Amino acid sequence: MALSLAISPCPNDTFVFHALVHGLVPDAPPVEVTFADVDVTNTAAEQGAYDLVKVSYAALPWLLDDYHLLPCGGALGRGCGPLVLTRGDWAGHGGDPADLTGATVAVPGDRTTAYLLFRLWSAEHPPARIEVVPFHEIMPGVAAGRYDAGLVIHEARFTYHRHGLTALVDLGEWWEADTGLPIPLGAILARKGVVDPEAAAGWIRDSVRRAWADPAASREYVLAHAQEMEPDVVDQHIGLYVNEFTAELGDDGRAAIEALLGRAAAAGLTPSVAGALG
């Protein structure tokens, strides 16, 4: 019986899972893939909709009763954090650009890691209003003045200047400077009672290694789902988000997850996951 897999259409996910989805991993079961933005998969996972699913690390506190966190396949790293973007004429409250008091900010989802980091960063000067907006509408919306600022992820790091926008803060740099740890963005989960987590981790590691060994094999598949991203942006995207943590979280990866969710729980933003990460 085929396993259901939900990932984003972003190049890092299609690159990582190409071999698994296409039956190139020995002994792995057939996989039926669904593509969806992470805000959609966060909600779907809470309903137990998929056997294997990519979610935000920020959503883990609501999912660990039903899913195992896998030690591979996700997105962690350095120099790859979410950005808070504004127009060039943004002055901020009282002339402080980092003071978002009174501002309307567009975010890609209320349980995304990006938004959790934003809430931790802006705790002393929170914006007046948050609007959850489809990712592709955020930068045009900020540029047009519909929002004072926008929280963006992934390929926006390489393209925001095309919209005439300015990076107010790189939340990855802020996080790394404060903790010395990589930033945990997206996790891969396996549904309890349906998928053996050790077996699933083996399939995914094999898929990652095959992607690295022969990048050309997945090229057509990656570009077909890359949502109009140019090939050079696709390459930058994969190079940044598919890294050593994709093959194995390791001690630094686990410490980063525990730090993020520990701080979030201490601030009353999420339930505690103490002792639940395995």
Side-chain angles (χ1 to χ4, degrees), residues 46-60:
E46 196 167 3
Q47 299 165 353
Y50 298 103
D51 302 324
L52 293 169
V53 60
K54 171 81 170 286
V55 300
S56 301
Y57 273 107
L60 285 191

Side-chain angles (χ1 to χ4, degrees), residues 113-199:
T113 304
Y115 183 46
L116 181 56
L117 285 167
F118 175 81
R119 294 175 77 187
L120 292 170
W121 171 76
S122 65
E124 294 184 5
H125 304 289
R129 186 178 181 188
I130 294 292
E131 290 194 22
V132 176
V133 175
F135 176 70
H136 67 277
E137 296 180 11
I138 292 179
M139 290 190 290
V142 176
R146 290 192 293 276
Y147 316 108
D148 299 303
L151 179 63
V152 299
I153 55 177
H154 292 332
E155 66 270 15
R157 165 175 293 277
F158 310 115
T159 61
Y160 71 86
H161 58 279
R162 300 177 187 175
H163 297 266
L165 302 179
T166 298
L168 176 64
V169 63
D170 182 323
L171 293 175
E173 290 182 359
W174 168 77
W175 171 260
E176 290 176 50
D178 198 48
T179 67
L181 295 167
I183 182 170
L185 298 169
I188 303 296
L189 306 184
R191 191 148 63 101
K192 292 180 178 179
V194 177
V195 183
D196 179 271
E198 291 188 10

